[in-house]
Coordinates of all heavy atoms in Angstrom, one line a residue:
E350 N 106.3 158.8 12.7 CA 104.9 158.3 12.8 C 104.8 157.0 12.1 O 104.1 156.1 12.5 CB 103.9 159.3 12.1 CG 102.5 158.9 12.1 CD 101.6 159.9 11.5 OE1 101.6 161.1 11.9 OE2 100.9 159.6 10.5
S351 N 105.6 156.8 11.0 CA 105.5 155.5 10.2 C 106.0 154.3 11.1 O 105.6 153.2 10.8 CB 106.4 155.6 9.0 OG 107.8 156.0 9.4
L352 N 106.7 154.5 12.1 CA 107.2 153.4 12.9 C 106.1 152.8 13.8 O 106.3 151.7 14.3 CB 108.3 153.9 13.9 CG 109.7 154.1 13.2 CD1 110.7 154.7 14.1 CD2 110.2 152.8 12.6
S353 N 105.0 153.5 13.9 CA 103.8 152.9 14.6 C 103.1 151.9 13.8 O 102.2 151.2 14.4 CB 102.9 154.0 15.1 OG 102.3 154.7 14.0
L354 N 103.3 151.8 12.5 CA 102.6 150.9 11.6 C 103.1 149.5 11.7 O 104.3 149.3 11.7 CB 102.6 151.4 10.2 CG 102.1 152.9 10.0 CD1 102.4 153.3 8.6 CD2 100.6 152.9 10.3
R355 N 102.2 148.5 11.8 CA 102.7 147.1 11.8 C 102.6 146.5 10.4 O 103.3 145.5 10.2 CB 101.8 146.4 12.8 CG 101.9 146.8 14.2 CD 101.1 146.0 15.2 NE 101.3 146.4 16.6 CZ 102.2 146.0 17.4 NH1 103.1 145.1 16.9 NH2 102.3 146.4 18.6
D356 N 101.8 147.0 9.5 CA 101.7 146.4 8.2 C 102.9 146.9 7.3 O 103.1 148.2 7.2 CB 100.4 146.8 7.6 CG 100.2 146.2 6.2 OD1 99.9 145.0 6.1 OD2 100.4 147.0 5.2
L357 N 103.6 146.0 6.6 CA 104.7 146.4 5.9 C 104.4 147.3 4.7 O 105.1 148.3 4.4 CB 105.5 145.1 5.4 CG 106.8 145.4 4.7 CD1 107.8 146.0 5.7 CD2 107.4 144.0 4.2
R358 N 103.3 147.0 4.0 CA 102.9 147.9 2.9 C 102.5 149.3 3.4 O 102.9 150.3 2.8 CB 101.8 147.3 2.1 CG 101.5 148.1 0.8 CD 100.2 147.6 0.1 NE 100.2 146.3 -0.4 CZ 99.3 145.7 -1.1 NH1 98.2 146.5 -1.4 NH2 99.3 144.5 -1.4
A359 N 101.8 149.3 4.5 CA 101.4 150.6 5.0 C 102.7 151.4 5.4 O 102.7 152.7 5.2 CB 100.5 150.4 6.3
L360 N 103.7 150.8 5.9 CA 104.9 151.5 6.2 C 105.6 152.0 4.9 O 106.0 153.2 4.9 CB 105.9 150.5 6.9 CG 107.4 151.0 7.0 CD1 107.4 152.2 8.0 CD2 108.3 149.8 7.6
A361 N 105.6 151.2 3.9 CA 106.2 151.6 2.6 C 105.5 152.7 1.9 O 106.0 153.4 1.0 CB 106.4 150.4 1.7
E362 N 104.2 152.8 2.2 CA 103.4 153.9 1.6 C 103.2 155.1 2.4 O 102.6 156.1 2.0 CB 102.0 153.3 1.3 CG 102.0 152.2 0.2 CD 100.6 151.6 0.0 OE1 99.7 151.7 0.9 OE2 100.3 151.1 -1.1
H363 N 103.8 155.1 3.7 CA 103.6 156.3 4.5 C 104.5 157.5 4.0 O 105.6 157.3 3.5 CB 104.1 156.0 5.9 CG 103.6 157.0 6.9 ND1 104.2 158.2 7.1 CD2 102.5 156.9 7.8 CE1 103.6 158.9 8.1 NE2 102.6 158.1 8.5
P364 N 104.0 158.7 4.0 CA 104.7 159.8 3.4 C 105.8 160.4 4.1 O 106.6 161.2 3.6 CB 103.6 160.9 3.2 CG 102.6 160.6 4.3 CD 102.6 159.1 4.5
D365 N 106.0 160.0 5.4 CA 107.1 160.6 6.2 C 108.4 160.0 5.7 O 108.5 159.0 4.9 CB 106.9 160.5 7.7 CG 107.1 159.2 8.3 OD1 107.5 158.2 7.5 OD2 106.9 159.0 9.5
R366 N 109.6 160.5 6.2 CA 110.8 160.1 5.6 C 111.1 158.6 6.0 O 111.9 157.9 5.3 CB 112.0 161.0 6.1 CG 112.2 161.1 7.6 CD 113.4 162.0 7.8 NE 113.7 162.1 9.2 CZ 113.2 163.1 10.0 NH1 112.3 163.9 9.5 NH2 113.5 163.1 11.3
G367 N 110.5 158.2 7.1 CA 110.7 156.7 7.4 C 110.0 155.8 6.4 O 110.6 154.8 6.0
G368 N 108.8 156.2 6.0 CA 108.1 155.4 5.0 C 108.8 155.5 3.7 O 108.9 154.5 3.0
R369 N 109.2 156.7 3.3 CA 110.0 156.8 2.0 C 111.3 156.0 2.0 O 111.7 155.5 1.0 CB 110.2 158.3 1.7 CG 108.9 159.1 1.3 CD 109.2 160.5 1.0 NE 109.4 161.3 2.2 CZ 110.4 162.1 2.4 NH1 111.4 162.2 1.6 NH2 110.4 162.8 3.6
Y370 N 111.9 156.0 3.2 CA 113.1 155.2 3.3 C 112.9 153.7 3.2 O 113.6 153.0 2.4 CB 113.7 155.5 4.7 CG 115.0 154.8 5.0 CD1 116.1 154.9 4.2 CD2 115.1 154.0 6.2 CE1 117.3 154.3 4.6 CE2 116.3 153.4 6.5 CZ 117.4 153.5 5.7 OH 118.5 152.8 6.0
A371 N 111.8 153.3 3.9 CA 111.5 151.8 3.8 C 111.1 151.5 2.3 O 111.6 150.4 1.8 CB 110.3 151.5 4.7

Side-chain angles (χ1 to χ4, degrees):
E350 183 179 303
S351 55
L352 287 173
S353 64
L354 302 172
R355 296 184 178 273
D356 180 76
L357 188 61
R358 188 191 297 185
L360 169 64
E362 291 178 338
H363 197 280
D365 74 7
R366 62 178 179 270
R369 287 181 282 128
Y370 179 58

